Amino acid sequence: MEENGLEPGRPPRREREKIRHREEILDAAAEVFALHGYEGASMQQIADLAELSVGKLYSHFEGKEAIYREVLVRFVGGIEEACSAAMLPGMTPLQKIRARGKAAVEYFRQYHQFICFFFEMNPERSYQVERCANDAHSEIFAGLIREAIDQGEMSGEIDPAAHAIMMEGAAHRLLEVYGGMEREDLPPLDELIDRVFLRPYEIRKGNDTEKENG
């Protein structure tokens, strides 16, 4: 224990309380934005749901715009955390691609209400964060596709970077189109992407063996 009674590396109580309030504000804001949209949401509504004063909100954020952007940044970061956690040791590159896709769809299902708002919001407010996230996801997919080609899992006739961008764009558009559906009615989007972008270029070892024996 440290001299002030804190565990080593643990922030002071005031700092922990500040972090807790910030997370409560962001949780409440995500729900308020999802229910009322950006224009319809108010600082008072966010404060009421977070059970804090409006003044407390302003002590953490400059205003609604700053809260909104932080909610979006946290949401986008959560997608990558879920996708990264799905890639387990021992998986092949192609298995990792599919695991990431499935994890992303499950994340969207979990936060379905916010997704609906995400695609209705002002593009000027979301473009920069969304573009950076899409670029990062595309780069990861491109790297995995390149590895899959090198390891003989996928055909070398495709360009990894272009293929990754097309996959990311198709997934985004599918979510935009189906985002308004009830969560339980959402189609298996990861399987749709797999059927179009992965299976046609997958090299199946069993089929190759059968052809050689035939």
Side-chain angles (χ1 to χ4, degrees):
M1 301 284 287
E2 294 181 343
E3 292 183 1
N4 60 6
L6 291 175
E7 297 178 8
R10 189 180 187 189
R13 185 178 59 145
R14 182 174 296 179
E15 185 64 26
R16 296 199 308 273
E17 186 175 89
K18 182 178 179 180
I19 294 171
R20 178 172 60 82
H21 284 165
R22 186 180 179 87
E23 291 302 307
E24 288 172 349
I25 292 169
L26 294 175
D27 287 341
E31 187 171 339
V32 171
F33 286 138
L35 288 172
H36 303 288
Y38 180 83
E39 300 301 336
S42 69
M43 294 290 277
Q44 186 64 61
Q45 289 170 328
I46 296 171
D48 290 344
L49 190 58
E51 297 183 347
L52 297 169
S53 68
V54 173
K56 179 66 72 174
L57 266 61
Y58 280 106
S59 70
H60 290 275
F61 300 95
E62 292 181 0
K64 186 171 71 169
E65 176 81 18
I67 295 176
Y68 164 75
R69 289 190 63 80
E70 191 62 31
V71 168
L72 183 58
V73 167
R74 188 175 68 159
F75 173 76
V76 169
I79 298 174
E80 180 51 39
E81 288 180 10
C83 290
S84 296
M87 297 190 298
L88 304 178
M91 282 184 171
T92 68
L94 190 53
Q95 287 173 334
K96 289 180 180 180
I97 293 172
R98 286 175 167 143
R100 285 183 66 87
K102 185 175 182 61
V105 171
E106 289 304 315
Y107 189 89
F108 284 122
R109 286 182 182 275
Q110 182 179 355
Y111 295 97
H112 178 257
Q113 191 175 33
F114 185 78
I115 293 299
C116 295
F117 159 68
F118 179 86
F119 288 111
E120 293 174 358
M121 61 197 170
N122 188 330
E124 293 180 1
R125 294 194 178 93
S126 63
Y127 179 77
Q128 186 176 2
V129 174
E130 182 186 357
R131 176 64 182 273
C132 290
N134 287 343
D135 287 349
H137 285 299
S138 294
E139 287 180 11
I140 293 172
F141 274 126
L144 290 171
I145 291 172
R146 195 171 291 110
E147 290 179 23
I149 292 173
D150 292 342
Q151 295 185 23
E153 287 189 294
M154 294 185 71
S155 169
E157 67 183 291
I158 59 175
D159 176 81
H163 209 68
I165 292 172
M166 289 189 291
M167 286 177 61
E168 190 72 28
H172 190 279
R173 180 59 178 152
L174 283 169
L175 286 165
E176 185 176 2
V177 170
Y178 291 110
M181 297 176 63
E182 294 297 324
R183 180 165 53 184
E184 57 272 15
D185 295 330
L186 284 173
L189 303 181
D190 53 318
E191 292 183 16
L192 294 176
I193 296 294
D194 193 310
R195 195 177 305 157
V196 175
F197 292 99
L198 298 179
R199 292 183 197 174
Y201 305 98
E202 181 179 3
I203 298 175
R204 296 178 176 82
K205 302 298 183 181
N207 291 350
D208 292 345
T209 302
E210 291 175 5
K211 289 180 181 178
E212 292 175 3
N213 293 337

